[in-house]
């Protein structure tokens, strides 16, 4: 469904990604795993067209994303929940969701479906996004992305800084999406979360992707994950 | 004239200035708010509006209202298109970099000014008002036998001047409705709040920028069309309104529309009143001093939010 082919990305003159290749298959949860500063967020931004590629290409089904303008990429069925949530802070919950809905032409049924997934948002439709709690903000970021009815969802550390019950809720939603056939590319630091929901893991180290592994091969080899995450 | 009626007259003149200034400054403010571009050429869009209004009215004969109405519609459209083109050819190419856009719009200022000089010449050009009935105004005084009404000599205004105030209010309300109640407004605000996430939601940010830059310029042009029956069109007329708009936008808080309107009323009214009783130069000096104090004590402006 999504293929990154030997991409190289730099900020101004500092190169951050070197010859990175991995893919995400339809209906799977692919996890990007690596230390802080390894280049995971950079990879997601590149997929969304927010950073230019120095070389390489990004393919989604039959389209070459890397030749499209950034604003055309969501129309290919790709939604993005960035690290730090990236909400439209001064807009209300309802308006944030409305902007997600616009991508596919504002279908009220989709809106209801998304709000059913996150009932706490339904109670707060008129509230400004910046006044939500951290957990509610993450739910809104997910809800806004799901309003686009994506085929592929990019999630950058969706459980960062949240309490266990909300992490559980977000995990449930991710698994539910997978079961509905949505492909998920997930950046995640919690080993337990990775082991419990991911299908495959692409390790990112110093801007390279040295290894892709099926989750089955990692269940009994957590030391490898710890090694890539830099925790002993 | 006695002091009371004289002050009333000055206030009325100030209100006309404030209304036009509010339009000008709001145009500058939305461009800065949404695009983070400090548009130094904003005064030239105003000037172009006035000159084009003269050009259109001089083409159309008959009752002056026909020409004026045509100018009211066509001048903002032409100026908006010129601005959108400038956005496309200049600002987009330098990637909306905050510092380079300042230099670029200074360049644009001189290009527009000199092109106008070359095509329309250096003469001041009048435009006839569509209607212009003189209205004597009453004054009330508490005399020996209670409250009395009389008509002081010289205390008057015109229907056109009052219409300018009304028109400015209508445009400002329309703009507020556009920004807060429509889908286009939602898209503009989303672009303002988070450019990358706007892109990630399929918003064509560059088209939004071209539109906003055009809209800001069109509002300036509209302000000029309203003014030009009171003040003649001239290729150098953009300077003072640009200075005052910057003062207003800094005092009101860059990018804040309500703050901009309040500051425009404050600056426009005091500019009018001080100009009548003392001198226009003193009015500008005081306004500039006020900006200095605001920058020292409240750099985010009276109504702006502190950017963390
Ligand atoms: N805008 C930028 N300008 C310059 N360098 C940047 C920029 N953004 C990120 N970098 C650098 O690129 C490298 C990779 O950053 P990135 O955000 O992709 O890491 P990450 O894997 O997502 O880390 P984390 O787990 O901390 O989120 C880092 O060294 C970072 O300093
Ligand atoms: Mg990151």
């Amino acid at each position: 469904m999504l293929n990154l082919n030997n991409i190289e990305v730099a900020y101004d003159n500092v190169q951050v990604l070197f010859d990175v290749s991995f893919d995400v298959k339809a209906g799977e949860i692919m996890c990007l795993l690596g230390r802080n500063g390894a280049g995971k967020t950079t990879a997601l931004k590149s997929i969304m067209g927010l950073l230019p590629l120095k070389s390489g290409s990004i393919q989604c089904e039959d389209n070459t994303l890397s030749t499209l303008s950034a604003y055309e990429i969501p129309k290919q069925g790709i939604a993005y929940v960035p690290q730090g949530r990236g909400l439209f802070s001064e807009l209300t919950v309802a308006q944030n969701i409305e902007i997600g809905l616009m991508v596919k032409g504002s279908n009220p049924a989709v809106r209801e479906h998304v709000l059913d997934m996150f009932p706490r948002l339904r109670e707060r439709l008129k509230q400004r996004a910046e006044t939500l709690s951290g957990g509610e903000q993450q739910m809104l970021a997910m809800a806004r992305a799901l309003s686009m009815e994506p085929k592929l969802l990019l999630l950058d550390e969706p459980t960062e800084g949240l309490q266990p019950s909300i992490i559980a809720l977000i995990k449930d939603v991710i698994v539910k999406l997978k079961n509905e056939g949505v492909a998920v590319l997930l950046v995640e630091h919690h080993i337990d979360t990775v082991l419990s929901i991911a299908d495959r893991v692409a390790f990112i180290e110093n801007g390279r992707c040295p290894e892709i592994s099926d989750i089955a091969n990692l269940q009994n080899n957590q030391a490898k994950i710890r090694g890539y995450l830099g925790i002993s | 004239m006695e002091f009371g009626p004289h002050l009333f007259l000055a206030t009325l003149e100030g209100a006309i200035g404030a209304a036009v200034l509010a339009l000008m400054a709001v145009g500058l403010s939305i461009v800065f708010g949404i695009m983070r571009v400090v548009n130094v050429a904003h005064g030239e869009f105003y000037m172009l509006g006035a000159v084009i209004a003269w050009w259109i009215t001089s083409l159309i004969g008959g009752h002056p209202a026909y020409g004026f109405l045509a100018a009211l519609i066509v001048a903002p459209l032409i100026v908006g298109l010129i601005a959108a083109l400038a956005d496309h050819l200049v600002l987009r190419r330098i990637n909306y970099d905050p510092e380079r856009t300042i230099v670029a719009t200074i360049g644009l200022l001189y290009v527009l000014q000199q092109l106008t000089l070359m095509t329309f010449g250096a003469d001041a050009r009048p435009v006839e008002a569509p209607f212009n009935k003189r209205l004597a105004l009453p004054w009330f005084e508490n005399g020996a036998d209670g409250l009395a009404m009389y008509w002081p000599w010289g205390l008057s205004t015109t229907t056109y001047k009052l219409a300018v105030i009304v028109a400015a209010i209508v445009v400002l309300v329309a703009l507020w409705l556009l920004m807060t109640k429509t889908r286009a407004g939602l898209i503009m605000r989303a672009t303002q709040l988070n450019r990358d996430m706007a892109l990630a939601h399929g918003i064509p940010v560059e088209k939004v920028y071209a539109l906003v830059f055009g809209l800001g310029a069109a509002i300036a042009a509209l302000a000029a069309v309203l003014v030009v029956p009171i003040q003649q069109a001239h290729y150098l007329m953009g300077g003072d309104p640009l200075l005052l708009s910057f003062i207003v936008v800094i005092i009101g808080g860059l990018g804040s529309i309500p703050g901009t309107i309040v500051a425009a009323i404050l600056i426009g009214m005091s500019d009018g009143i001080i100009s009548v009783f003392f001198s226009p130069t003193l009015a500008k000096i005081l306004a500039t001093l006020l900006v200095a104090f605001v920058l020292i004590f409240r750099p985010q402006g009276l109504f702006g939010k502190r950017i963390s």
Side-chain angles (χ1 to χ4, degrees):
Chain A
M1 143 138 256
L2 180 78
N3 286 286
L4 281 73
N5 309 312
N6 316 96
I7 68 162
E8 313 244 323
V9 179
Y11 292 101
D12 296 321
N13 293 319
V14 187
Q15 190 162 346
V16 172
L17 293 184
F18 303 85
D19 197 23
V20 169
S21 300
F22 62 82
D23 65 320
V24 184
K25 299 192 171 74
E28 78 165 347
I29 299 177
M30 170 61 127
C31 187
L32 284 187
L33 221 145
R35 298 183 192 205
N36 293 129
K40 307 177 294 293
T41 298
T42 304
L44 297 199
K45 283 190 178 166
S46 312
I47 297 168
M48 293 310 295
L50 300 174
L51 293 171
L53 301 187
K54 263 180 74 179
S55 66
S57 70
I58 300 175
Q59 209 76 34
C60 179
E61 294 178 330
D62 297 331
N63 298 306
T64 307
L65 297 186
S66 36
T67 60
L68 298 178
S69 293
Y71 78 91
E72 293 170 308
I73 289 174
K75 298 190 172 89
Q76 312 301 315
I78 305 177
Y80 176 41
V81 177
Q83 192 167 14
R85 292 143 196 159
L87 294 174
F88 301 111
S89 56
E90 291 179 19
L91 302 185
T92 63
V93 169
Q95 289 171 323
N96 269 278
I97 292 175
E98 176 62 30
I99 286 173
L101 288 168
M102 275 186 217
V103 176
K104 282 265 173 94
S106 303
N107 181 349
V110 176
R111 182 176 190 269
E112 290 312 301
H113 179 65
V114 165
L115 288 173
D116 286 341
M117 276 195 224
F118 302 101
R120 274 173 67 177
L121 295 178
R122 196 189 282 284
E123 300 158 17
R124 297 180 154 73
L125 287 172
K126 293 252 159 74
Q127 200 173 325
R128 280 154 67 111
E130 62 193 350
T131 64
L132 296 174
S133 75
E136 290 159 357
Q137 288 190 5
Q138 191 62 53
M139 291 180 209
L140 178 54
M142 300 269 295
R144 182 181 62 176
L146 297 183
S147 307
M148 298 163 56
E149 301 176 88
K151 292 182 291 190
L152 169 66
L153 180 61
L154 313 184
L155 296 172
D156 199 344
E157 305 201 22
T159 63
E160 196 179 23
L162 300 180
Q163 70 188 42
S165 66
I166 296 183
I167 294 180
L169 170 73
I170 287 177
K171 269 166 65 176
D172 282 352
V173 170
I174 296 173
V175 172
K176 197 149 84 188
L177 288 169
K178 171 194 150 106
N179 294 336
E180 289 172 8
V182 178
V184 179
L185 178 57
L186 172 71
V187 175
E188 180 58 66
H189 275 135
H190 292 100
I191 297 179
D192 296 343
T193 307
V194 174
L195 289 176
S196 62
I197 65 174
D199 294 307
R200 289 191 301 150
V201 174
F203 293 102
I204 306 287
E205 191 174 54
N206 297 326
R208 294 172 197 275
C209 177
E211 188 173 354
I212 297 174
S213 178
D214 277 345
I215 201 73
N217 301 332
L218 296 170
Q219 297 288 4
N220 300 317
N221 192 0
Q222 292 191 16
K224 177 179 258 171
I225 300 182
R226 288 177 197 283
Y228 275 111
L229 282 176
I231 43 185
S232 46
Chain B
M1 214 187 307
E2 286 169 61
F3 179 72
H6 200 180
L7 181 65
F8 181 48
L9 190 65
T11 309
L12 204 61
E13 293 294 317
I16 296 158
V20 173
L21 184 55
L23 286 180
M24 254 313 260
V26 162
L28 191 67
S29 179
I30 58 169
V31 166
F32 178 79
I34 295 170
M35 304 169 67
R36 299 281 133 181
V37 166
V38 176
N39 179 18
V40 184
H42 195 60
E44 303 320 301
F45 292 135
Y46 172 86
M47 177 277 289
L48 275 182
V51 172
I52 292 172
W54 165 77
W55 178 60
I56 291 170
T57 51
S58 68
L59 287 181
I60 296 178
H63 193 277
Y66 296 133
F68 184 79
L69 203 66
L72 204 55
I73 296 163
V74 177
L77 269 178
I78 297 178
V79 174
L81 284 176
I82 293 173
L85 194 69
D87 169 80
H88 187 81
L89 294 180
V90 182
L91 302 182
R92 180 187 296 196
R93 297 204 179 193
I94 51 175
N95 226 342
Y96 302 97
D97 174 84
E99 277 128 42
R100 287 197 287 170
T101 50
I102 293 182
V103 180
T105 54
I106 292 175
L108 192 59
L109 181 161
Y110 286 111
V111 170
L112 294 177
Q113 205 174 73
Q114 294 306 312
L115 281 178
T116 311
L117 175 63
M118 283 155 60
T119 45
F120 290 94
D123 298 334
R125 314 285 196 165
V127 169
E128 206 175 323
F131 47 85
N132 211 7
K133 204 166 144 26
R134 187 155 284 282
L135 292 176
L137 296 171
W139 185 253
F140 300 90
E141 201 142 286
N142 218 347
D145 35 58
L147 198 64
M149 186 175 92
Y150 71 112
W151 305 83
W153 186 84
L155 182 58
S156 69
T157 184
T158 67
T159 47
Y160 182 73
K161 286 184 175 176
L162 295 180
V164 168
I165 298 177
V166 174
I169 293 170
V170 168
V171 173
L172 291 172
V173 169
L175 191 67
W176 180 78
L177 290 175
L178 172 75
M179 294 305 285
T180 56
K181 303 279 181 235
T182 69
R183 170 170 292 210
L186 190 62
I187 289 172
M188 286 193 256
R189 286 161 71 203
T191 305
Q192 164 170 19
L193 291 167
N194 194 329
R195 180 180 185 277
D196 277 1
M197 287 316 289
L199 286 169
H201 287 86
I203 295 175
V205 164
E206 290 191 335
K207 282 191 196 129
V208 174
Y209 282 178
L211 227 110
V212 167
F213 202 64
L215 180 67
I219 295 171
L222 186 75
V225 179
L226 292 175
V227 157
V228 84
I230 301 172
Q231 194 191 348
Q232 301 189 350
H234 184 253
Y235 80 106
L236 290 176
M237 73 190 288
D240 268 3
L242 178 73
L243 174 70
L244 284 175
S245 316
F246 269 117
I247 290 175
V248 162
V249 164
I250 290 167
I251 291 175
L254 277 165
S256 152
I257 290 181
T260 303
I261 291 171
V262 174
I265 294 170
L266 183 77
I267 295 295
M269 296 286 264
S270 54
D271 189 68
I273 294 170
I274 296 168
S275 299
V276 168
F277 283 102
F278 302 98
S279 81
T281 312
L282 180 68
K284 303 277 180 306
I285 291 173
L286 289 178
T288 311
L289 269 180
L290 182 59
V291 167
F293 280 116
V294 167
L295 285 176
I296 294 167
F297 295 108
R298 209 179 148 78
Q300 73 273 37
L302 296 182
F303 300 86
K305 264 182 269 162
R306 202 177 280 277
I307 297 164
S308 50

